[in-house]
Amino acid sequence: MLWALAAVLTVRQAASVLRVPPGEWFSELHLSASTAPPGTLYDAGRFTGTPFAGLVLKPLAGLGAPSSLEVAWTCVTLLLVAAVGVVAARGLPDPVPRRTALLAAPVLVALMMVSLPVRAAAFPGQTAVLPVLLVLLAFFRMPGGKPAGLLVGLAAALQPALLLFAPLLWLTGRRPTARAAAATFAAATVLAWAALPRDSWTYWIHHLAGTGLGGSPDGLANQSVHGALLRFGLRGPGEILLYAALAAAVTWAALRRAARYARDGQLLLAVAVTGCAAVAVSPTGWRHQLLWVLLAVAGKVGERAADRRVWPVAVVLAITLPSAVLLPNLAALAPVRDNVPLLTAVAAACAVPFLPRSSPYWREPVPTVHGRPVAARWARVPLLPFWRRALSRPSLLLELLLIRVGYSVYSHIRAAAPASRPLAERNGSLVHGVEGILGIDIERAVNRAVADTPWVEGFFNFYYSSFHFVVPLGILAVLYWRRPGDYRWARASLGLATALALAGFWLFPLAPPRLMPGLGFVDTVHGAQDLANPSYGAMTAISNQYAAMPSLHFGWSLWCGTVVVVLAPKGWQKLLGALHPLITVCAIVATANHWVLDAVGGAAVVGAGFGLVHVLSGPRGLRVSLPVQRRPAGEPDRLAAVQR
């Protein structure tokens, strides 16, 4: 099944690449005519490879029509990606459990197919995957000596920063291989100088190692230390000296760590660490060259079983999702958001404390304490065996990443939900008519009364726009710190309720009262909307304004009230928790942002969220199931500390 998933993702990636018009293939090589004079690789300003790479790619212009090259290049690139996954999976340190050996290759191939480096490297003229495969073959499939050095040297000729693998070979005792790698790189570079002198001068002298080719060196695509310093506003000799010092420090730390991991039997991790450092210290480290970061998941981090997933999840998120999804668009976070791939690569190369194989926790980490499962109340709906309620506090980094990514996915799906104005208005008329039959169509009277009372209007506007996110995040933070077991229960119920609400946004687009023409509602929060404008002004351009049923403004507030009433130890705290959804439902009606039935829908999805958690993982209060752990002599009882 995993191989089938990898195949589907491969086909999807191929379809995406093949949408490029045939006439644009290899256009960055400036080879539109077969009679192009030598020394014109960089005239178009888009080619970023070395002169040796151009020398290898140049004959392709005469092999066939652009359409045939399109298909051939795509197929070869994706096959190289699959080969990287297979070779890397076989390079895992022994002993490898049978389950891991079977699953590693298809999982890695699938992850690479959706990663940002492969999605960029599969396009015309990019050769970032081939150097990775050459290095992996040199370290894992060649017996050593000159053949392995030849592969490393060719990889460095295509991507000069990969010459950093020669010192790694030297430090790990493969000195003939290191010398062969350096000699091959020198021979390929001299050959390119002889064949393409003008291009070689442009690449190595005028644009030092390609800096500035294919885009501005301070652009976000340049995920190297040099690019980050330029984005920080540093220029001139001072920036060059600082870059040289930082590059030397990263190289020294990474090579030391890589040599240590290689001697420890973790050769794949050593290769990944060196590759991450090579991209970081290169003058231009393009996103499509960051495949090494994904290979760094081979390392194990953390003594607790609950911490083992933090590093792999962080790497996968950083290498597969755009930075805007991982971090909010705040000016204070811009230095981090703009350099997420670089920071991940530097962390893998220099900072992440990977466990040595000699650690007693390498194979048997401190187990996670789980609640003892109970029988389901409905025999036909059994508890899911893999959904066990952990009672210890989860990793804060992992939680923050998942919350941010989850909310970003929610925002994208909500924005992509159907937003047909005629359908939304018809549904609005339907809801308004049903409320009239039920005698609960109070929205216009409440809205008008609030709009005529300035201080009440100001209060509800502030409450509507200020507490929607602050209160749920505050409750989650308190539960995380004080009640970790209940935190997981509350978080899961909130996530399931939000997922169910997304289905409502898709199936029932609904115009809120403020966007219903002819009913006389006043939008007290957003100001007057131009109902004659098909887009209803600027607000509908920000998000889908027809995603109103169910109301998550009320749903999230009801979740907050329920959690506080159930868990708060004092009566006044329970009272505040109960007041929050009551004030929220008044605010959404008074500001004309929701119908009363929207609140009913919000209550329904929240109730379903709590119910699903109960069905999937049992009641909130579970007995503690204490695992048996054999700890090494002299080691502290970490399990007892976790339980406390």
Side-chain angles (χ1 to χ4, degrees):
M1 290 178 63
L2 288 172
W3 275 116
L5 174 62
V8 170
L9 294 174
T10 303
V11 172
R12 174 181 175 272
Q13 178 62 29
S16 174
V17 176
L18 292 177
R19 292 193 188 102
V20 177
E24 295 183 11
W25 278 79
F26 297 101
S27 61
E28 68 272 23
L29 291 178
H30 202 59
L31 298 175
S32 56
S34 59
T35 58
T40 59
L41 290 176
Y42 306 108
D43 287 356
R46 293 191 296 270
F47 183 58
T48 61
T50 63
F52 179 76
L55 187 64
V56 172
L57 295 175
K58 199 172 180 119
L60 295 179
L63 292 181
S67 58
S68 60
L69 288 175
E70 180 182 9
V71 176
W73 184 276
T74 303
C75 294
V76 170
T77 300
L78 296 180
L79 286 175
L80 291 178
V81 173
V84 168
V86 172
V87 175
R90 294 186 177 182
L92 293 173
D94 291 328
V96 179
R98 182 174 180 271
R99 181 179 179 184
T100 301
L102 290 175
L103 301 183
V107 168
L108 185 56
V109 172
L111 287 175
M112 286 193 296
M113 287 300 174
V114 298
S115 67
L116 296 176
V118 169
R119 282 152 61 185
F123 279 85
Q126 303 292 354
T127 58
V129 179
L130 180 58
V132 176
L133 180 60
L134 292 176
V135 171
L136 291 178
L137 290 174
F139 276 87
F140 298 106
R141 309 308 297 173
M142 289 292 179
K146 292 182 179 180
L150 175 65
L151 295 183
V152 174
L154 289 176
L158 296 172
Q159 187 178 332
L162 298 185
L163 193 61
L164 197 62
F165 281 99
L168 176 63
L169 292 169
W170 187 275
L171 293 173
T172 53
R174 301 174 66 178
R175 297 188 176 184
T177 307
R179 286 192 291 266
T184 303
F185 169 76
T189 304
V190 170
L191 176 63
W193 268 97
L196 302 171
R198 175 182 166 188
D199 286 331
S200 297
W201 177 272
T202 300
Y203 184 87
W204 292 108
I205 306 300
H206 186 64
H207 294 278
L208 180 62
T211 305
L213 290 174
S216 175
D218 61 351
L220 295 181
N222 183 10
Q223 289 293 310
S224 69
V225 174
H226 180 49
L229 294 177
L230 293 176
R231 286 191 289 273
F232 289 149
L234 301 177
R235 294 290 189 276
E239 185 274 333
I240 295 176
L241 291 176
L242 181 58
Y243 160 61
L246 292 176
V250 170
T251 301
W252 178 79
L255 287 177
R256 283 192 61 191
R257 285 160 54 90
R260 184 167 66 249
Y261 296 137
R263 289 191 292 268
D264 188 52
Q266 301 185 64
L267 187 56
L268 179 59
L269 179 58
V271 170
V273 165
T274 307
C276 290
V279 177
V281 303
S282 175
T284 52
W286 303 113
R287 291 179 185 271
H288 58 266
Q289 298 172 347
L290 286 166
L291 200 56
W292 303 103
V293 179
L294 194 56
L295 299 181
V297 298
K300 294 183 179 181
V301 182
E303 298 177 352
R304 299 190 309 165
D307 294 335
R308 286 291 170 86
R309 69 191 70 175
V310 177
W311 171 245
V313 170
V315 168
V316 170
L317 292 179
I319 212 69
T320 58
L321 296 178
S323 301
V325 175
L326 299 175
L327 293 170
N329 188 19
L330 299 175
L333 296 177
V336 178
R337 186 182 64 251
D338 294 344
N339 300 288
V340 167
L342 169 63
L343 294 175
T344 308
V346 173
C350 304
V352 178
F354 298 109
L355 287 176
R357 296 175 66 199
S358 58
S359 170
Y361 303 103
W362 168 262
R363 299 190 65 179
E364 295 185 7
V366 176
T368 302
V369 181
H370 294 92
R372 186 175 302 170
V374 298
R377 293 189 177 183
W378 301 281
R380 295 182 182 275
V381 188
L383 297 178
L384 295 183
F386 59 83
W387 191 320
R388 295 187 300 163
R389 180 99 44 84
L391 303 180
S392 57
R393 184 176 293 111
S395 166
L396 179 59
L397 174 62
L398 185 60
E399 291 300 301
L400 292 176
L401 281 173
L402 293 181
I403 288 174
R404 170 58 192 173
V405 171
Y407 178 72
S408 181
V409 171
Y410 156 77
S411 300
H412 281 80
I413 294 178
R414 174 189 169 115
S420 169
R421 174 183 174 182
L423 177 60
E425 290 180 354
R426 286 199 301 270
N427 289 337
S429 300
L430 175 63
V431 170
H432 190 225
V434 171
E435 289 188 352
I437 296 174
L438 298 176
I440 57 174
D441 55 335
I442 61 174
E443 291 89 357
R444 187 177 184 278
V446 174
N447 176 244
R448 284 292 183 178
V450 169
D452 293 338
T453 311
W455 70 269
V456 178
E457 176 186 351
F459 170 76
F460 280 128
N461 289 349
F462 175 78
Y463 205 93
Y464 177 86
S465 58
S466 301
F467 291 90
H468 182 44
F469 297 106
V470 172
V471 177
L473 291 177
I475 290 174
L476 287 174
V478 172
L479 291 179
Y480 176 86
W481 184 251
R482 301 295 298 272
R483 307 279 290 269
D486 290 325
Y487 166 81
R488 296 176 185 269
W489 163 77
R491 177 202 57 189
S493 60
L494 180 63
L496 289 172
T498 303
L500 292 173
L502 289 174
F505 299 157
W506 274 94
L507 299 175
F508 196 76
L510 175 65
R514 63 185 177 83
L515 294 183
M516 286 294 291
L519 296 184
F521 286 96
V522 177
D523 189 347
T524 62
V525 176
H526 309 106
Q529 298 289 301
D530 182 9
L531 300 185
N533 187 333
S535 65
Y536 282 168
M539 283 308 303
T540 49
I542 297 175
S543 65
N544 186 356
Q545 300 300 298
Y546 299 136
M549 170 63 82
S551 169
L552 282 185
H553 245 91
F554 176 72
W556 287 2
S557 68
L558 181 62
W559 173 87
C560 294
T562 303
V563 171
V564 172
V565 169
V566 171
L567 299 179
K570 298 182 180 179
W572 65 269
Q573 296 170 341
K574 296 179 183 291
L575 177 61
L576 288 178
L579 286 176
H580 178 53
L582 295 177
I583 299 175
T584 300
V585 73
C586 294
I588 64 175
V589 172
T591 59
N593 277 278
H594 285 284
W595 306 96
V596 172
L597 288 181
D598 295 348
V600 176
V605 296
V606 169
F610 281 115
L612 284 174
V613 172
H614 183 87
V615 169
L616 296 173
S617 59
R620 181 185 63 83
L622 299 176
R623 293 173 293 177
V624 177
S625 180
L626 300 179
V628 178
Q629 183 209 10
R630 299 182 301 275
R631 68 180 189 274
E635 288 289 329
D637 192 348
R638 301 181 185 274
L639 176 59
V642 170
Q643 294 168 0
R644 289 195 295 273

